[in-house]
Amino acid sequence: MISRQILFALMLLLAPLTHAQIPLPGLNSGVPKAEAELAPVDSDPRSRAETQLAEARRQQEAGQLQEGGTTGVEGLPISDRQRLLDRLVLAYSERLKLLEELENLKKSPPEKARQQVLLAEFSGSPPYSALRVDALRDEYDALRERQQSLASTERALEKLKVGRIDAQRRAGEAVRLAEDKLARASAQEAIDKERLSRELASLRRQLAEAELANIEIGLERIHMEIQASQTLGREIERLLARVLPEQRLDKEELEQQQALLRKELNTLNSEIDRIVAANSRLAAERERLVKIVAKAGSEVPEARRLQLLDARLETGRVVLITLPWLQTMAQVASDAWTQRALALNSPDPASRQAVISALSQIREDLASRRQILDELQQAARVELRERESRLDGATLDAEAKAQASTLLDVLKERVLAYQRVDRSETRMQLQLERWLDDFGFHAKTASRDDWKLGVLQVVQTLKRVWDFEMFAVEDSTLIDGKTVTVTYGVTVGKSIGALILFLLGYWLFSLLSRHLQRLMVRRFGVNEQMASVMRRWAMISLAVALIIFILNLARIPLTVFAFLGGALAIGIGFGTQTIIKNVISGIIILFERKIRVGDIIALGGMTGHVIAVDLRASTVRGFDGVEALVPNSSFLENQVVNWTYSNPRIRREIRIGVAYGSPVREASEIIVGCANEHAQVLKDPAPEVFFEDFGDNALMLLLMFWVELGPQLSARRVDSDLRYAMEKRLAAAGIAIPFPKRDVHLDLSEPLPVRITHAAATPPDSSCRS
């Protein structure tokens, strides 16, 4: 129900401050300024309003007698003064009503009385009736809606108050302007005219003041009602917190609700029978009208009746759709009440969990049908609005207008049928939300076994997730010449279980394969690299077999991946072509063994030891200790230098120059002796020294020797050791290692020419250069 304050606010919103329309009620006196100053001042607002109302009525009656009781169009007074006086009378009358209602509200607020009734109703010892608790909840919801309505009305009145304050200011300015004009008037006609203008301006100011005062009274009442409703709301909240854990639904109350639902089902059955019979009669009538229209044409009156009859039949069809819907709702409500009684009367957490699951399923079913209902209801409303708009803009005769009005009523019946289902579903959803809130984890009806219910709910949720079916596949098998198709569901649990089994099996196979690899190397003398290759291929084969075994064990057919074949083939072909190329290259390298672990290779400016050869890439550790991952395809596509491919021996060369005039043979013997004495220089082939060239500054000798590469050998270290030894022994033998020399010849037979030149553009601070 819309409160008086809401209607009052709507009236204020629709009534502009123009002197040609009837205003809203006011508070202050409606007499002119001179008479208002003579009016007695009363501190009682009610007495003052009564005095002002009496004076306004006296002037209203006097004006009517003076004007002879003439009225204008639609019974409105002719003069502006009379219209303003009529508005003041209405304003002061409304003022008295508002004051009376405010006094009654102060004396006996209804919220206080309702609070006492509630306290008395639930003053007894628990348990409390669940039906009474439901009524208390309904009252609390209605109270919250009323609080929202009061808050909206308060905001609207605050906006109106701002406008009325501005109107009062403008009215005061108009009164002062009228008094100024009256003071300056000289002729009697002008004085009479300005006096009337001043009186009208004064009446408008008093009307604005009255309206502002009425708004303030309305705000005061709204504030009182908001405070009272908030107090009552807090009391109901405390009461609900106390009675909710102690609510029970006994057998009699459950039977009472079931009886009401059975009565509703019987009523719905009767309605269905009545609608079916009515539709049968309408269908027979329609057949008769169709024959008449087919013979006489579409201009006969029966054509209009046929159109209306089709609309009635469609409405009957809609009603026959909604009535079984309501029957289903009643049956669902009956089951829900039974579940609620079980949960309220059973302390077992398992029973409560079962009730929660059942009620949650009912709620999900209602929510799934809600969208269909909203769409049907919206379509019916759109059709009704379109029909109403066409009727408003059409020019029809009386018969056609009556038929169109009847057609609108038929369309409204469809909207009402959908609204009936909507109200029933909304009420059921509200009850389910309340009950699930009562029974759920940390619910308002929680007990000491609340943690048990929480565990059950968590287990139930995990079970639903575990059994959730992601998709289903069909597996066809040919048995005795017949194709038998079996559908398998792939659930989250199957997928997770298969993944866990695969990881566990792969881990066990990995441990076993490593043990077998070590066994092949120690017992059977298999090469380490070959054993690693065999282990990797064995792991790949075992992984494929393990996947097939686990899929069969989990009853997941291999056809589940068939639909991915085409897309995956294209995607893998483009996205993994480089990986596949490297893998194939790795397989070739592993089988050809052109590059093995421990080899020293040179590739792309990098030289180092091969420390690992995997399927996709190999690892090369340079002599500087930096490791590089080299794609296996690089070994096949580029030129690779393998220093240790068939023979780990390599030849090294060291060039050394001795001064001109030195004994070359002796120097050669010293250099060869240094090489023979080094432990890592091979004796076969023996090191040799060659007289390589006559250099610019020295006689060039070349030492060639062989070393065997290995993990413990550093060729640079060998070269360094030999240079140290040769430098020491050549110095002891008096053989010098020369350094580059240059002879500069200066011809002094003629004087040197000296010329002084200047630059073409010499900066100011620069000097001449010779």
Side-chain angles (χ1 to χ4, degrees), residues 582-593:
N582 290 324
V583 170
I584 295 176
S585 300
I587 294 173
I588 295 173
I589 292 171
L590 290 173
F591 277 96
E592 286 188 350
R593 303 190 67 190

Side-chain angles (χ1 to χ4, degrees), residues 702-717:
L702 174 64
L703 171 63
M704 290 195 308
F705 61 94
W706 292 79
V707 294
E708 186 172 352
L709 295 177
Q712 306 300 325
L713 174 68
S714 174
R716 289 184 176 226
R717 173 61 58 188

Side-chain angles (χ1 to χ4, degrees), residues 215-226:
I215 292 175
E216 291 176 349
I217 295 175
L219 284 172
E220 183 179 358
R221 174 170 179 173
I222 292 293
H223 293 158
M224 290 184 60
E225 290 188 0
I226 289 176

Side-chain angles (χ1 to χ4, degrees), residues 26-33 35-37 39-40 48-49 51-56 59 85 88 92 95 202-210:
L27 174 64
N28 294 336
S29 176
V31 298
K33 181 178 180 181
E35 297 179 3
E37 292 175 351
R48 186 166 62 253
T51 302
Q52 293 170 343
L53 177 61
E55 181 62 24
Q59 292 194 12
L85 288 172
L88 279 173
Y92 292 138
R95 171 79 186 280
S202 178
L203 288 174
R204 293 190 185 99
R205 181 182 64 179
Q206 294 168 25
L207 182 60
E209 293 173 352

Side-chain angles (χ1 to χ4, degrees), residues 43 126 131 133 187 285 298 342 359 383 394 418 433 443 448 508 543 597 602-603 650 713 747 761:
S43 60
L131 299 182
V133 173
E285 179 67 15
S298 59
L342 177 62
L359 295 181
E383 185 179 1
Y418 289 127
E433 293 293 339
R448 289 176 297 178
L508 291 176
V597 175
L603 175 65
I650 63 172
L713 174 68
D747 189 4

Side-chain angles (χ1 to χ4, degrees), residues 313-603:
L313 283 172
E314 179 63 20
T315 300
R317 186 185 68 83
V318 170
V319 174
L320 286 178
I321 292 175
T322 58
L323 289 178
W325 205 330
L326 291 172
Q327 283 183 325
T328 303
M329 291 290 301
Q331 294 171 355
V332 168
S334 177
D335 296 338
W337 276 97
T338 303
Q339 295 291 336
R340 185 190 185 192
L342 177 62
L344 288 176
N345 300 324
S346 176
D348 184 19
S351 300
R352 289 177 60 189
Q353 176 56 36
V355 170
I356 291 172
S357 300
L359 295 181
S360 299
Q361 185 63 41
I362 294 175
R363 181 180 61 178
E364 292 175 1
D365 293 341
L366 292 178
S368 64
R369 293 197 296 264
R370 182 72 189 186
Q371 184 178 2
I372 301 175
L373 176 62
D374 292 340
E375 292 178 356
L376 293 174
Q377 190 174 1
Q378 182 65 22
R381 289 175 177 173
V382 169
E383 185 179 1
L384 178 61
R385 285 196 297 268
E386 291 178 353
R387 183 70 65 175
E388 288 177 344
S389 63
R390 288 199 297 267
L391 180 60
D392 292 339
T395 304
L396 304 174
D397 55 14
E399 183 180 357
K401 191 172 183 179
Q403 182 178 0
S405 178
T406 305
L407 186 59
L408 281 179
D409 294 337
V410 173
L411 295 178
K412 290 178 181 178
E413 291 180 7
R414 301 180 192 176
V415 176
L416 292 176
Y418 289 127
Q419 288 179 349
R420 185 178 178 185
V421 179
D422 185 34
R423 289 193 299 269
S424 179
E425 278 204 355
T426 302
R427 177 62 183 172
M428 192 65 205
Q429 284 282 7
L430 176 62
Q431 289 179 339
L432 290 174
E433 293 293 339
R434 288 177 177 176
W435 299 347
L436 288 172
D437 188 31
D438 290 344
F439 306 146
F441 186 54
H442 288 308
K444 297 179 180 178
T445 57
S447 63
R448 289 176 297 178
D449 294 333
D450 189 48
W451 66 272
K452 297 181 181 179
L453 178 62
V455 173
L456 289 174
Q457 288 185 349
V458 172
V459 172
Q460 189 73 17
T461 302
L462 293 177
K463 184 178 179 181
R464 287 197 298 269
V465 174
W466 184 266
D467 295 334
F468 176 75
E469 184 178 84
M470 297 184 293
F471 54 90
V473 293
E474 295 183 352
D475 188 16
S476 299
T477 306
L478 190 63
I479 301 177
D480 296 335
K482 297 181 180 180
T483 302
V484 178
T485 302
V486 182
T487 302
Y488 295 95
V490 180
T491 63
V492 175
K494 284 184 178 181
S495 303
I496 295 177
L499 181 61
I500 293 175
L501 286 176
F502 175 76
L503 294 177
L504 181 61
Y506 191 85
W507 176 70
L508 291 176
F509 286 153
S510 178
L511 293 179
L512 181 61
S513 64
R514 288 192 182 94
H515 178 71
L516 291 177
Q517 179 182 359
R518 291 192 295 269
L519 184 64
M520 286 188 295
V521 173
R522 290 198 306 264
R523 295 283 184 90
F524 302 101
V526 180
N527 182 270
E528 180 71 26
Q529 184 180 6
M530 181 60 67
S532 177
V533 172
M534 295 174 62
R535 184 183 72 84
R536 287 193 178 96
W537 282 103
M539 286 298 302
I540 293 174
S541 303
L542 289 174
V544 173
L546 184 62
I547 290 174
I548 297 174
F549 172 75
I550 291 175
L551 290 178
N552 290 329
L553 184 64
R555 297 180 63 82
I556 300 177
L558 293 176
T559 54
V560 71
F561 305 103
F563 71 97
L564 298 175
L568 286 178
I570 297 174
I572 291 175
F574 284 101
T576 62
Q577 56 182 348
T578 303
I579 298 177
I580 295 175
K581 178 176 68 173
N582 290 324
V583 170
I584 295 176
S585 300
I587 294 173
I588 295 173
I589 292 171
L590 290 173
F591 277 96
E592 286 188 350
R593 303 190 67 190
K594 300 293 184 179
I595 298 174
R596 295 165 293 182
V597 175
D599 286 352
I600 299 176
I601 65 172
L603 175 65

Side-chain angles (χ1 to χ4, degrees), residues 614-628:
D614 297 320
L615 287 178
R616 189 188 67 85
S618 299
T619 305
V620 179
R621 179 182 294 162
F623 293 141
D624 54 0
V626 178
E627 295 180 353

